[in-house]
Amino acid sequence: MNDTPGPLLQSLPPDLIRRFAAIVGPEHALTDPDQQLPYLREWRDTYFGQSALVLRPASTAEVSAILTLAHAEGIAVVPQAGNTGLVGGQIAMRGEVVVSVARMTKVRTVDAVGGTMTVEAGLTLAECQQTADRAGKLFPLTLPSEGSCRIGGNLGTNAGGVGVLAYGNTRQQVLGLEVVLADGRVWDGLRALKKDNTGYDLRDLFIGSEGTLGIITAAVLRLLPKPAEKATAMVAIRSIEDALALFNMAQQAADRGLTAFEFMPRLVLDFVLRHIAGTREPFAATYAWYVLIEISGAQADGTANRQLESILTDATDRGLVIDAVMAQSIAQARDLWRLREGISEAQKPEGGNIKHDVSVPIASIPVFISRANAIVERICPGARPLPLGHFGDGNVHYNIAQPTGMDKAAFTKLTPQIMREVHDLVMSYGGSISAEHGIGQTRRAELARVKSDVELDLMRRIKSALDPKGILNPGKML
Ligand SMILES: Cc1cc2nc3c(=O)[nH]c(=O)nc-3n(C[C@H](O)[C@H](O)[C@H](O)COP(=O)(O)OP(=O)(O)OC[C@H]3O[C@@H](n4cnc5c(N)ncnc54)[C@H](O)[C@@H]3O)c2cc1C
């Protein structure tokens, strides 16, 4: 996409910079390009932004003061948390003020008995998980980026990840929110209630709004019972059609105990083995497709292992599984998971990569992949499709690596055409062009193309009701 900074379209007079800096303290108001760099560049180098000022508030009161001033002066701001978003939503492209919540890391309360914790938006996802774990509970959101992404960003994107199958996406983990509105007012919706039918659901409106409706500063999150045991296996299968049959068998046998069912083709495994240190080939032979299966049990009595063994035996008898390796220790389970978690990182060294984050009804996954592959081969012969993802959610990360040896820029130029045709195919199955990463800037034009006029009109009205001056993350999503 862009690899050089564009013109600074919003510059701030020195006096205004001083007034913003007075809110957070001068050391947390960054104008120096070197200091700003970590907030303007995303990890894949897909977007390289421009900002007149990066602000690092430490409290809700400071965020409120920033937005009060920004609103009064008509200054555009871009909310940012961990800067791991994959659609450029967190990157300021036109000089907007970046408001990073990374310093807001307080755990306000943990209520293990009531099953909730209230945390600030800058806590990393890994820290949220650890906080829950220390209380003897589970916070089930799990992403490969969990060491860097922050809960404010997870809420902003309604992140998914590998646990959605059993536990739901971010939205399902939230009871209440605290949000600073575009004009600086604070909505205190930090309610720890499972049931609350008092009018429109504002909480769900802010979740997944990608920083376009308000800045989330804290959340009440649900804590779940911690599984007492887990059984993990990597299995080899002949075809993606067999993944569907295997998934149905596993779900029938383990029901809600089935906590992961991740699929990937051989080429993805090749990339991981080639580029991610410490990974090992799981089998003596190579196969067309692989599935990582995890079953969790409430009691430490070996039930999860027995269930998984029984599923694999049945599936092997039916010819669905052609090879399988079951983790015999936590370390072996971690090694298997590393093969899945290293996928994002392993694609970068292979050159240009066109990414789709789509969902279709799960029974349509096999035919979708085969038709999408045909589209890609027609437009760019030799391109290498890498369809992988969260099978049980119908979520296919339909990524495409450039043909070996092709010029990266020439491949990347094909993005709009490939994206358009793949998305048209997705829509023909009643699918979604963004299952979990969001719209940001990457899919903004596509959103306008695939949503109905009625839906777009409603979304625009909501945006202008909550952010009448359009200062929150302009140019993103809508
Ligand atoms: C290796 C890797 C693997 C990943 N795997 C997954 C995956 O499996 N599933 C998945 O869903 N995502 C995945 N992601 C994408 C990313 O980690 C998620 O989208 C994550 O939720 C973003 O969190 P963040 O803190 O980095 O947010 P940022 O990138 O900082 O921001 C993301 C969006 O949220 C908005 N935002 C940030 N903070 C706030 C706030 N306080 N209030 C309101 N809006 C805010 C931003 O404006 C932006 O639009 C992956 C990313 C990487 C790098």
Side-chain angles (χ1 to χ4, degrees):
M1 306 258 175
N2 79 322
D3 29 40
T4 47
L8 192 60
L9 293 181
Q10 177 181 258
S11 55
L12 299 180
D15 172 55
L16 205 44
I17 291 186
R18 269 195 298 277
R19 287 167 71 195
F20 277 120
I23 296 169
V24 293
E27 70 277 31
H28 297 296
L30 313 178
T31 49
D32 177 77
D34 287 340
Q35 288 186 326
Q36 288 189 347
L37 201 61
Y39 303 90
L40 297 179
R41 194 155 214 162
E42 49 105 88
W43 71 287
R44 294 165 307 169
D45 292 336
T46 308
Y47 296 104
F48 186 34
Q50 279 276 290
S51 174
L53 181 64
V54 174
L55 294 172
R56 294 168 31 89
S59 66
T60 304
E62 289 184 7
V63 176
S64 166
I66 290 168
L67 286 190
T68 303
L69 180 55
H71 190 256
E73 300 292 334
I75 304 298
V77 304
V78 175
Q80 191 182 93
N83 190 12
T84 69
L86 294 175
V87 290
Q90 75 281 15
I91 302 295
M93 299 305 292
R94 297 148 59 90
E96 299 93 327
V97 173
V98 174
V99 180
S100 164
V101 295
R103 288 176 66 223
M104 299 183 59
T105 56
K106 288 195 193 72
V107 176
R108 294 192 188 167
T109 57
V110 178
D111 175 3
V113 178
T116 65
M117 63 179 176
T118 305
V119 304
E120 293 188 347
L123 207 64
T124 65
L125 175 54
E127 288 163 343
C128 285
Q129 295 163 345
Q130 288 151 13
T131 304
D133 193 60
R134 281 194 294 274
K137 293 285 187 177
L138 174 76
F139 182 64
L141 190 66
T142 311
L143 309 182
S145 52
E146 61 203 23
S148 314
C149 65
R150 297 174 188 275
I151 200 71
N154 302 144
L155 292 158
T157 56
N158 185 29
V162 294
V164 175
L165 178 61
Y167 303 110
N169 52 19
T170 303
R171 179 168 274 129
Q172 272 81 52
Q173 320 311 329
V174 184
L175 293 174
L177 287 185
E178 177 186 86
V179 183
V180 179
L181 306 178
D183 61 7
R185 284 179 298 160
V186 178
W187 173 53
D188 180 354
L190 287 175
R191 293 186 275 268
L193 302 173
K194 288 191 179 154
K195 290 185 151 185
D196 178 13
N197 280 352
T198 50
Y200 300 134
D201 196 331
L202 299 176
R203 176 194 62 189
D204 275 357
L205 194 54
F206 287 109
I207 297 171
S209 64
E210 300 185 32
T212 63
L213 299 181
I215 299 186
I216 298 165
T217 44
V220 184
L221 304 175
R222 290 156 67 109
L223 299 177
L224 302 180
K226 227 169 33 173
E229 61 177 15
K230 284 184 181 182
T232 310
M234 176 75 87
V235 308
I237 55 175
R238 278 188 194 84
S239 69
I240 192 68
E241 285 78 6
D242 285 353
L244 179 58
L246 180 62
F247 174 73
N248 283 327
M249 275 183 70
Q251 204 173 43
Q252 181 69 33
D255 194 19
R256 293 171 73 89
L258 181 64
T259 41
F261 193 95
E262 298 288 306
F263 73 101
M264 68 178 98
R266 175 68 210 179
L267 188 57
V268 168
L269 192 58
D270 281 340
F271 283 14
V272 172
L273 295 170
R274 203 177 296 155
H275 301 297
I276 305 298
T279 52
R280 278 203 315 265
E281 181 77 61
F283 301 107
T286 61
Y287 300 103
W289 290 90
Y290 300 86
V291 177
L292 184 64
I293 305 178
E294 181 189 84
I295 291 185
S296 300
Q299 310 296 329
D301 58 3
T303 305
N305 259 311
R306 282 193 298 278
Q307 271 183 335
L308 186 52
E309 271 166 10
S310 151
I311 292 164
L312 297 184
T313 306
D314 284 359
T316 307
D317 290 346
R318 286 173 54 182
L320 293 174
V321 165
I322 43 179
D323 209 344
V325 51
M326 244 178 100
Q328 300 302 322
S329 64
I330 291 175
Q332 281 180 11
R334 253 192 235 119
D335 284 350
L336 294 180
W337 270 107
R338 187 83 194 103
L339 297 173
R340 169 63 184 91
E341 285 163 357
I343 291 175
S344 299
E345 216 180 312
Q347 291 170 67
K348 198 173 165 183
E350 293 284 333
N353 196 302
I354 299 174
K355 292 183 189 300
H356 302 85
D357 163 41
V358 305
S359 65
V360 293
I362 61 170
S364 307
I365 290 177
V367 62
F368 163 74
I369 290 175
S370 128
R371 291 183 63 191
N373 288 350
I375 289 173
V376 170
E377 182 58 21
R378 172 170 49 76
I379 298 175
C380 183
R384 297 170 292 166
L386 308 161
L388 65 111
H390 318 295
F391 196 95
D393 311 329
N395 184 181
V396 184
H397 294 303
Y398 189 76
N399 300 341
I400 308 151
Q402 67 170 70
T404 315
M406 184 177 178
D407 174 54
K408 182 176 171 183
F411 177 69
T412 309
K413 249 194 199 148
L414 298 172
T415 305
Q417 189 189 352
I418 291 182
M419 202 180 252
R420 174 177 277 259
E421 291 203 30
V422 169
H423 285 166
D424 283 347
L425 181 64
V426 167
M427 297 313 287
S428 76
Y429 289 106
S432 164
I433 65 162
S434 176
E436 57 179 14
H437 297 160
I439 299 300
Q441 21 184 335
T442 309
R443 302 198 177 90
R444 183 172 171 238
E446 285 292 274
L447 183 81
R449 205 172 64 79
V450 301
K451 286 268 182 199
S452 72
D453 289 347
V454 172
E455 216 165 344
L456 283 171
D457 179 51
L458 289 174
M459 285 170 71
R460 288 191 187 112
R461 283 167 189 248
I462 289 167
K463 168 74 177 168
S464 65
L466 290 176
D467 179 19
K469 291 190 175 178
I471 62 165
L472 286 171
N473 223 354
K476 312 292 168 53
M477 190 190 293
L478 287 174

